[in-house]
Amino acid sequence: MRFGLTRRYYVYGREKVVQVLLLLCALVSVFTTLGIIIVLLLQTIDFFKEVSLWDFLTDTQWTPLFADKHFGILPLLSGTLLTSTIALAVSVPLGLMIAIYLSEYAAKPVRKAVKPFLEVLAGIPTIVYGYFALVTVTPLLQKLIPSLSGFNALSPGIVMGIMILPLVTSLSEDALRVVPNGLREGGYALGASRLQVSLSIVFPSAFSGIIASVILAFSRAIGETMIVAIAAGQLPNLTANPLNPVSTMTAYIVGVSQGDTPYGTLSYNTIFAVAITLFLFTFLLNIISFRIRKRFLAIGGD
Amino acid sequence: MTVYEIHAFKQRTKNVLFQVFALMGLLFAVIVLVLLLINVIKDGAGRISSEFLTSYPSRNPKNAGIIAGLAGTLYMVIITALISIPIGIGAAIYLEEYGKKNRIGKLIEINIANLAGVPSIVYGLLGLGLFVRFFSLERSLIAGALTMSLLIMPTIVIATREAIKAVPGGIREASYAVGATKWQTIWHHLIPISFPSILTGIILAISRAIGETAPLITIGALTYVTFLPSNLKSPFTILPIQIYNWVSRPQAGFHEDAAAGIIVLLVFTLLLNSIAIILRNRFSR
């Protein structure tokens, strides 16, 4: 009797200890987020003590490492948006087409063969894609477009599109697949063809889920680093012309981290100001995507 | 042909055309992958040799090798795994089995979903500010591994949660029915049953850690290292950074080195990825 009681206390105590330990593990994630925000904010505050927010947002030049210093984020922002837009222009049409094919047409064996292939594509390190953009794709494109400079926004944009293709495909396919079968059957009952059912019934029903996947892909493209750091040229350039060299927010951070700019100087603090801009951008996009997806999946059932 | 037949014919044609287009899209992706592999192998295969694998970097592209990056990657991945796997699995168990309805659980859950979408370079700056500067770990192996651990933790948590969620509820109930406590149920049943899926997620996360470059550049992993890391506080380099360094140089000789390094890197990551895919296919039924 006594023994049983002690044992019960022992087991109860162990349960509590384990639960607290597991909670601590889970809290690591909260501390990570807090850490990111605190680290970025502290240095960014130092940065904005010397540079006005207005200059940061409106100056059209970004030359923090030159004698004539300008701190306008616009060139980096335009470079980022340019490469990401090209990436989306490649991955969205291609990804959606493949997703519709996989979810509405493909036989099970085909799907089983294609999915691992896409996963291989997603598993290739970005440094490899960067090398590919610089050494293979750019020379290839230069044969088509002679005015293309050795570093440009086009080639890394296209390669980045290939990189995020698996993301677009798999998330969109998930969205297409949760469309209830009754809708498809209703379409067939009215005499619609498979393509009509896919494009006029399934696709619109899954639209918000697809939008969520596109937003997430956009966020991924904005945050992608090595491909643009290698192949885009690291030249902050306020341009919408994809044939020119550009720099992105991420490529700039890599550039400065590699150089010999001393820690704590104004020039160095720029990377924290850039990083917080990047963080806010992707955070916002991720939240929007998360919200849409959650609501959509709740409606779609399954 | 009647109007109906013409209509049916048109629909059939469109249908076939769409499939052709979709397959061409897939084919495009396949061609890109093949092109990538062919080019890397063509450029780099000639440089692969035991000397390349065992030499330190050099100013002469013909003598350069990857031993420093290889060793650095290996050490970093092992330490990263030791840190991130227990914490990641622990967090996942908490979220899935304990923290379901309360506020903290929900907060942590949203937080992890968000962390999974934070660009890797931002983790690099976190590592720089927190580990390199605040904890004065300098540009060391341990600072790099801690940074990488935070980076891959969300992946591990999300994969582990999926794995645990997939365990049938009857198993939990059966365990409780014979008087097991919550932790006994988790330890003796849920973890062993979901282990293959958990492992799949972990392998994918590790594979990602091997290929990540940007965060370690940011915390200041070196590019020119002519020694092997001797302890946790040693400076280090990793294979992708070595490759990046070679790609950034104008001489063609270094591009060959980069391609050869990429072949080695791809062997590791693709191997891990295929193990993960095979594991999942075998156990997902």
PDB file of all heavy atoms in Angstrom, chain A residues 114-137:
ATOM      1  N   VAL A 114       6.491  11.543 -60.176  1.00  0.00           N
ATOM      2  CA  VAL A 114       6.789  12.972 -60.303  1.00  0.00           C
ATOM      3  C   VAL A 114       7.129  13.601 -58.949  1.00  0.00           C
ATOM      4  O   VAL A 114       8.024  14.428 -58.842  1.00  0.00           O
ATOM      5  CB  VAL A 114       5.603  13.714 -60.953  1.00  0.00           C
ATOM      6  CG1 VAL A 114       5.797  15.209 -60.885  1.00  0.00           C
ATOM      7  CG2 VAL A 114       5.452  13.270 -62.406  1.00  0.00           C
ATOM      8  N   LYS A 115       6.429  13.159 -57.911  1.00  0.00           N
ATOM      9  CA  LYS A 115       6.631  13.806 -56.597  1.00  0.00           C
ATOM     10  C   LYS A 115       8.072  13.718 -56.105  1.00  0.00           C
ATOM     11  O   LYS A 115       8.635  14.732 -55.700  1.00  0.00           O
ATOM     12  CB  LYS A 115       5.656  13.201 -55.586  1.00  0.00           C
ATOM     13  CG  LYS A 115       4.249  13.717 -55.798  1.00  0.00           C
ATOM     14  CD  LYS A 115       3.621  14.114 -54.493  1.00  0.00           C
ATOM     15  CE  LYS A 115       2.817  15.366 -54.688  1.00  0.00           C
ATOM     16  NZ  LYS A 115       2.035  15.711 -53.505  1.00  0.00           N
ATOM     17  N   PRO A 116       8.674  12.522 -56.121  1.00  0.00           N
ATOM     18  CA  PRO A 116      10.077  12.474 -55.688  1.00  0.00           C
ATOM     19  C   PRO A 116      10.981  13.333 -56.562  1.00  0.00           C
ATOM     20  O   PRO A 116      11.913  13.960 -56.060  1.00  0.00           O
ATOM     21  CB  PRO A 116      10.450  10.993 -55.846  1.00  0.00           C
ATOM     22  CG  PRO A 116       9.177  10.271 -55.863  1.00  0.00           C
ATOM     23  CD  PRO A 116       8.164  11.193 -56.425  1.00  0.00           C
ATOM     24  N   PHE A 117      10.661  13.408 -57.856  1.00  0.00           N
ATOM     25  CA  PHE A 117      11.468  14.251 -58.731  1.00  0.00           C
ATOM     26  C   PHE A 117      11.420  15.704 -58.270  1.00  0.00           C
ATOM     27  O   PHE A 117      12.436  16.389 -58.188  1.00  0.00           O
ATOM     28  CB  PHE A 117      10.969  14.127 -60.177  1.00  0.00           C
ATOM     29  CG  PHE A 117      11.466  15.217 -61.068  1.00  0.00           C
ATOM     30  CD1 PHE A 117      12.789  15.226 -61.486  1.00  0.00           C
ATOM     31  CD2 PHE A 117      10.644  16.263 -61.441  1.00  0.00           C
ATOM     32  CE1 PHE A 117      13.265  16.245 -62.285  1.00  0.00           C
ATOM     33  CE2 PHE A 117      11.106  17.287 -62.239  1.00  0.00           C
ATOM     34  CZ  PHE A 117      12.426  17.280 -62.666  1.00  0.00           C
ATOM     35  N   LEU A 118      10.206  16.166 -57.956  1.00  0.00           N
ATOM     36  CA  LEU A 118      10.071  17.542 -57.487  1.00  0.00           C
ATOM     37  C   LEU A 118      10.824  17.733 -56.169  1.00  0.00           C
ATOM     38  O   LEU A 118      11.400  18.790 -55.908  1.00  0.00           O
ATOM     39  CB  LEU A 118       8.597  17.900 -57.300  1.00  0.00           C
ATOM     40  CG  LEU A 118       7.803  18.072 -58.600  1.00  0.00           C
ATOM     41  CD1 LEU A 118       6.336  18.289 -58.310  1.00  0.00           C
ATOM     42  CD2 LEU A 118       8.349  19.230 -59.407  1.00  0.00           C
ATOM     43  N   GLU A 119      10.800  16.670 -55.343  1.00  0.00           N
ATOM     44  CA  GLU A 119      11.510  16.794 -54.072  1.00  0.00           C
ATOM     45  C   GLU A 119      13.014  16.884 -54.266  1.00  0.00           C
ATOM     46  O   GLU A 119      13.709  17.582 -53.522  1.00  0.00           O
ATOM     47  CB  GLU A 119      11.150  15.620 -53.156  1.00  0.00           C
ATOM     48  CG  GLU A 119       9.839  15.892 -52.452  1.00  0.00           C
ATOM     49  CD  GLU A 119       9.230  14.665 -51.812  1.00  0.00           C
ATOM     50  OE1 GLU A 119       9.788  13.561 -51.969  1.00  0.00           O
ATOM     51  OE2 GLU A 119       8.197  14.826 -51.158  1.00  0.00           O
ATOM     52  N   VAL A 120      13.506  16.185 -55.283  1.00  0.00           N
ATOM     53  CA  VAL A 120      14.937  16.309 -55.607  1.00  0.00           C
ATOM     54  C   VAL A 120      15.250  17.746 -55.987  1.00  0.00           C
ATOM     55  O   VAL A 120      16.220  18.342 -55.524  1.00  0.00           O
ATOM     56  CB  VAL A 120      15.317  15.349 -56.767  1.00  0.00           C
ATOM     57  CG1 VAL A 120      16.687  15.696 -57.328  1.00  0.00           C
ATOM     58  CG2 VAL A 120      15.302  13.915 -56.278  1.00  0.00           C
ATOM     59  N   LEU A 121      14.375  18.312 -56.826  1.00  0.00           N
ATOM     60  CA  LEU A 121      14.553  19.703 -57.253  1.00  0.00           C
ATOM     61  C   LEU A 121      14.586  20.629 -56.042  1.00  0.00           C
ATOM     62  O   LEU A 121      15.363  21.579 -55.976  1.00  0.00           O
ATOM     63  CB  LEU A 121      13.378  20.075 -58.169  1.00  0.00           C
ATOM     64  CG  LEU A 121      13.652  20.921 -59.408  1.00  0.00           C
ATOM     65  CD1 LEU A 121      14.801  20.379 -60.214  1.00  0.00           C
ATOM     66  CD2 LEU A 121      12.403  20.980 -60.268  1.00  0.00           C
ATOM     67  N   ALA A 122      13.716  20.338 -55.055  1.00  0.00           N
ATOM     68  CA  ALA A 122      13.644  21.188 -53.865  1.00  0.00           C
ATOM     69  C   ALA A 122      14.830  20.942 -52.937  1.00  0.00           C
ATOM     70  O   ALA A 122      15.172  21.796 -52.131  1.00  0.00           O
ATOM     71  CB  ALA A 122      12.338  20.926 -53.113  1.00  0.00           C
ATOM     72  N   GLY A 123      15.462  19.774 -53.070  1.00  0.00           N
ATOM     73  CA  GLY A 123      16.542  19.436 -52.142  1.00  0.00           C
ATOM     74  C   GLY A 123      17.905  19.914 -52.578  1.00  0.00           C
ATOM     75  O   GLY A 123      18.871  19.818 -51.826  1.00  0.00           O
ATOM     76  N   ILE A 124      17.996  20.456 -53.790  1.00  0.00           N
ATOM     77  CA  ILE A 124      19.296  20.932 -54.276  1.00  0.00           C
ATOM     78  C   ILE A 124      19.679  22.216 -53.550  1.00  0.00           C
ATOM     79  O   ILE A 124      18.888  23.156 -53.488  1.00  0.00           O
ATOM     80  CB  ILE A 124      19.234  21.168 -55.797  1.00  0.00           C
ATOM     81  CG1 ILE A 124      19.106  19.814 -56.506  1.00  0.00           C
ATOM     82  CG2 ILE A 124      20.461  21.921 -56.291  1.00  0.00           C
ATOM     83  CD1 ILE A 124      18.986  19.913 -57.993  1.00  0.00           C
ATOM     84  N   PRO A 125      20.892  22.269 -52.979  1.00  0.00           N
ATOM     85  CA  PRO A 125      21.304  23.465 -52.243  1.00  0.00           C
ATOM     86  C   PRO A 125      21.305  24.699 -53.147  1.00  0.00           C
ATOM     87  O   PRO A 125      21.606  24.596 -54.339  1.00  0.00           O
ATOM     88  CB  PRO A 125      22.731  23.131 -51.803  1.00  0.00           C
ATOM     89  CG  PRO A 125      22.828  21.659 -51.834  1.00  0.00           C
ATOM     90  CD  PRO A 125      21.912  21.207 -52.912  1.00  0.00           C
ATOM     91  N   THR A 126      20.963  25.846 -52.571  1.00  0.00           N
ATOM     92  CA  THR A 126      20.823  27.047 -53.395  1.00  0.00           C
ATOM     93  C   THR A 126      22.155  27.486 -53.999  1.00  0.00           C
ATOM     94  O   THR A 126      22.174  28.111 -55.050  1.00  0.00           O
ATOM     95  CB  THR A 126      20.224  28.199 -52.573  1.00  0.00           C
ATOM     96  OG1 THR A 126      21.022  28.370 -51.418  1.00  0.00           O
ATOM     97  CG2 THR A 126      18.805  27.895 -52.178  1.00  0.00           C
ATOM     98  N   ILE A 127      23.256  27.150 -53.336  1.00  0.00           N
ATOM     99  CA  ILE A 127      24.559  27.520 -53.889  1.00  0.00           C
ATOM    100  C   ILE A 127      24.757  26.854 -55.249  1.00  0.00           C
ATOM    101  O   ILE A 127      25.347  27.432 -56.172  1.00  0.00           O
ATOM    102  CB  ILE A 127      25.693  27.129 -52.907  1.00  0.00           C
ATOM    103  CG1 ILE A 127      27.079  27.484 -53.444  1.00  0.00           C
ATOM    104  CG2 ILE A 127      25.707  25.656 -52.613  1.00  0.00           C
ATOM    105  CD1 ILE A 127      27.530  28.812 -53.001  1.00  0.00           C
ATOM    106  N   VAL A 128      24.210  25.637 -55.400  1.00  0.00           N
ATOM    107  CA  VAL A 128      24.327  24.915 -56.669  1.00  0.00           C
ATOM    108  C   VAL A 128      23.518  25.632 -57.748  1.00  0.00           C
ATOM    109  O   VAL A 128      23.975  25.824 -58.877  1.00  0.00           O
ATOM    110  CB  VAL A 128      23.847  23.461 -56.514  1.00  0.00           C
ATOM    111  CG1 VAL A 128      23.943  22.718 -57.836  1.00  0.00           C
ATOM    112  CG2 VAL A 128      24.643  22.748 -55.435  1.00  0.00           C
ATOM    113  N   TYR A 129      22.299  26.065 -57.371  1.00  0.00           N
ATOM    114  CA  TYR A 129      21.496  26.832 -58.312  1.00  0.00           C
ATOM    115  C   TYR A 129      22.216  28.128 -58.704  1.00  0.00           C
ATOM    116  O   TYR A 129      22.122  28.586 -59.839  1.00  0.00           O
ATOM    117  CB  TYR A 129      20.128  27.172 -57.705  1.00  0.00           C
ATOM    118  CG  TYR A 129      19.138  26.037 -57.777  1.00  0.00           C
ATOM    119  CD1 TYR A 129      18.591  25.486 -56.627  1.00  0.00           C
ATOM    120  CD2 TYR A 129      18.727  25.540 -59.000  1.00  0.00           C
ATOM    121  CE1 TYR A 129      17.662  24.459 -56.691  1.00  0.00           C
ATOM    122  CE2 TYR A 129      17.807  24.510 -59.078  1.00  0.00           C
ATOM    123  CZ  TYR A 129      17.277  23.979 -57.922  1.00  0.00           C
ATOM    124  OH  TYR A 129      16.371  22.960 -57.999  1.00  0.00           O
ATOM    125  N   GLY A 130      22.906  28.725 -57.757  1.00  0.00           N
ATOM    126  CA  GLY A 130      23.639  29.959 -58.047  1.00  0.00           C
ATOM    127  C   GLY A 130      24.716  29.727 -59.086  1.00  0.00           C
ATOM    128  O   GLY A 130      24.850  30.481 -60.060  1.00  0.00           O
ATOM    129  N   TYR A 131      25.489  28.671 -58.870  1.00  0.00           N
ATOM    130  CA  TYR A 131      26.532  28.300 -59.828  1.00  0.00           C
ATOM    131  C   TYR A 131      25.915  28.070 -61.205  1.00  0.00           C
ATOM    132  O   TYR A 131      26.408  28.559 -62.229  1.00  0.00           O
ATOM    133  CB  TYR A 131      27.237  27.028 -59.340  1.00  0.00           C
ATOM    134  CG  TYR A 131      28.251  26.464 -60.304  1.00  0.00           C
ATOM    135  CD1 TYR A 131      29.578  26.881 -60.265  1.00  0.00           C
ATOM    136  CD2 TYR A 131      27.886  25.509 -61.244  1.00  0.00           C
ATOM    137  CE1 TYR A 131      30.508  26.365 -61.149  1.00  0.00           C
ATOM    138  CE2 TYR A 131      28.809  24.987 -62.127  1.00  0.00           C
ATOM    139  CZ  TYR A 131      30.115  25.418 -62.082  1.00  0.00           C
ATOM    140  OH  TYR A 131      31.033  24.908 -62.950  1.00  0.00           O
ATOM    141  N   PHE A 132      24.797  27.344 -61.215  1.00  0.00           N
ATOM    142  CA  PHE A 132      24.097  27.015 -62.455  1.00  0.00           C
ATOM    143  C   PHE A 132      23.661  28.291 -63.182  1.00  0.00           C
ATOM    144  O   PHE A 132      23.841  28.423 -64.394  1.00  0.00           O
ATOM    145  CB  PHE A 132      22.892  26.144 -62.108  1.00  0.00           C
ATOM    146  CG  PHE A 132      22.092  25.678 -63.275  1.00  0.00           C
ATOM    147  CD1 PHE A 132      22.660  24.878 -64.249  1.00  0.00           C
ATOM    148  CD2 PHE A 132      20.751  26.021 -63.391  1.00  0.00           C
ATOM    149  CE1 PHE A 132      21.918  24.429 -65.331  1.00  0.00           C
ATOM    150  CE2 PHE A 132      20.004  25.577 -64.463  1.00  0.00           C
ATOM    151  CZ  PHE A 132      20.585  24.787 -65.437  1.00  0.00           C
ATOM    152  N   ALA A 133      23.121  29.256 -62.421  1.00  0.00           N
ATOM    153  CA  ALA A 133      22.672  30.512 -63.026  1.00  0.00           C
ATOM    154  C   ALA A 133      23.852  31.254 -63.655  1.00  0.00           C
ATOM    155  O   ALA A 133      23.776  31.727 -64.785  1.00  0.00           O
ATOM    156  CB  ALA A 133      21.978  31.389 -61.981  1.00  0.00           C
ATOM    157  N   LEU A 134      24.945  31.321 -62.913  1.00  0.00           N
ATOM    158  CA  LEU A 134      26.086  32.115 -63.384  1.00  0.00           C
ATOM    159  C   LEU A 134      26.821  31.433 -64.535  1.00  0.00           C
ATOM    160  O   LEU A 134      27.142  32.059 -65.541  1.00  0.00           O
ATOM    161  CB  LEU A 134      27.065  32.354 -62.224  1.00  0.00           C
ATOM    162  CG  LEU A 134      28.311  33.174 -62.578  1.00  0.00           C
ATOM    163  CD1 LEU A 134      27.940  34.618 -62.823  1.00  0.00           C
ATOM    164  CD2 LEU A 134      29.361  33.063 -61.488  1.00  0.00           C
ATOM    165  N   VAL A 135      27.089  30.146 -64.387  1.00  0.00           N
ATOM    166  CA  VAL A 135      27.988  29.460 -65.314  1.00  0.00           C
ATOM    167  C   VAL A 135      27.253  28.868 -66.516  1.00  0.00           C
ATOM    168  O   VAL A 135      27.809  28.762 -67.600  1.00  0.00           O
ATOM    169  CB  VAL A 135      28.791  28.365 -64.564  1.00  0.00           C
ATOM    170  CG1 VAL A 135      29.654  27.570 -65.506  1.00  0.00           C
ATOM    171  CG2 VAL A 135      29.629  29.012 -63.479  1.00  0.00           C
ATOM    172  N   THR A 136      25.983  28.482 -66.342  1.00  0.00           N
ATOM    173  CA  THR A 136      25.269  27.836 -67.446  1.00  0.00           C
ATOM    174  C   THR A 136      24.181  28.717 -68.053  1.00  0.00           C
ATOM    175  O   THR A 136      24.151  28.942 -69.255  1.00  0.00           O
ATOM    176  CB  THR A 136      24.620  26.516 -66.966  1.00  0.00           C
ATOM    177  OG1 THR A 136      25.607  25.743 -66.314  1.00  0.00           O
ATOM    178  CG2 THR A 136      24.066  25.740 -68.138  1.00  0.00           C
ATOM    179  N   VAL A 137      23.280  29.232 -67.189  1.00  0.00           N
ATOM    180  CA  VAL A 137      22.098  29.902 -67.732  1.00  0.00           C
ATOM    181  C   VAL A 137      22.437  31.262 -68.345  1.00  0.00           C
ATOM    182  O   VAL A 137      21.968  31.586 -69.441  1.00  0.00           O
ATOM    183  CB  VAL A 137      21.006  30.042 -66.649  1.00  0.00           C
ATOM    184  CG1 VAL A 137      19.812  30.805 -67.180  1.00  0.00           C
ATOM    185  CG2 VAL A 137      20.576  28.666 -66.168  1.00  0.00           C
TER     186      VAL A 137
END
